[in-house]
């Protein structure tokens, strides 16, 4: 079966690099499914899970926004932060989720609600990848 090379890169370095049969991401315009030979495109990404189908298995990578660049033979995901399920510290993600929920429940003007909401989304996304 045909494959496409996928690179997931953050400012800290590469996170994922392998040939896969299909890539699925959550772009700002909606879900995208990319197969080998896809037309070239660039799209901004939402906080979400990148699904990487390879044979009968599907790898998951949690990304916190960024961009996807698609070429017929290569897909590059430039993410602000990205983690594979195996590298996620579940206890740390649970603690981050709890902190964000506590901030959202506070009713003071000192809390940046948008920032707390994004932190909660990132924590939930990381926990979803580990399940």
């Amino acid at each position: 079966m045909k494959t496409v090379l996928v690179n997931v890169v953050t400012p800290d370095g590469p996170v994922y690099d392998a040939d896969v049969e299909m890539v699925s991401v959550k772009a700002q315009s909606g879900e995208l499914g990319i197969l080998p030979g896809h037309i070239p495109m660039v799209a901004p990404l939402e906080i979400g899970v990148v699904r990487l189908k390879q044979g009968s298995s599907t790898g998951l990578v949690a990304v916190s926004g960024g961009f996807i660049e698609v070429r017929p033979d290569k897909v590059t995901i430039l993410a602000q932060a990205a983690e594979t399920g195996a590298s996620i510290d579940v206890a740390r993600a649970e603690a981050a989720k709890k902190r964000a929920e506590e901030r959202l429940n506070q009713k003071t003007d000192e809390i940046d609600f948008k920032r707390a909401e994004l932190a909660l989304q990132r924590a939930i996304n990381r926990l979803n990848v580990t399940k």
Side-chain angles (χ1 to χ4, degrees):
M1 180 159 230
K2 289 185 176 182
T3 61
V4 61
L5 176 62
V6 177
N7 295 315
V8 179
V9 183
T10 69
D12 296 329
V15 173
Y16 185 90
D17 185 20
D19 288 309
V20 300
E21 295 168 4
M22 181 178 175
V23 181
S24 176
V25 297
K26 184 178 178 183
Q28 288 182 356
S29 59
E31 281 286 324
L32 296 175
I34 296 133
L35 297 168
H38 195 284
I39 62 168
M41 64 172 277
V42 174
L45 297 177
E46 294 281 326
I47 295 170
V49 177
V50 176
R51 289 173 179 75
L52 303 150
K53 185 176 184 314
Q54 196 170 19
S56 61
S57 66
T58 301
L60 302 175
V61 177
V63 295
S64 297
F67 291 90
I68 184 168
E69 177 192 22
V70 179
R71 288 187 260 153
D73 59 341
K74 185 177 183 181
V75 174
T76 303
I77 296 173
L78 303 169
Q80 296 155 349
E83 295 175 275
T84 60
S87 67
I88 293 174
D89 181 345
V90 177
R92 189 171 153 247
E94 288 281 359
K97 179 180 178 228
K98 185 178 178 187
R99 275 193 314 273
E101 289 171 338
E102 287 171 357
R103 284 191 183 123
L104 287 171
N105 289 331
Q106 293 178 2
K107 303 294 182 199
T108 63
D109 293 335
E110 300 167 4
I111 302 299
D112 183 350
F113 285 100
K114 183 65 176 171
R115 186 173 169 193
E117 286 173 350
L118 289 172
L120 180 60
Q121 286 178 4
R122 287 191 300 270
I124 291 171
N125 183 47
R126 292 173 69 222
L127 290 169
N128 287 341
V129 167
T130 63
K131 295 179 183 174

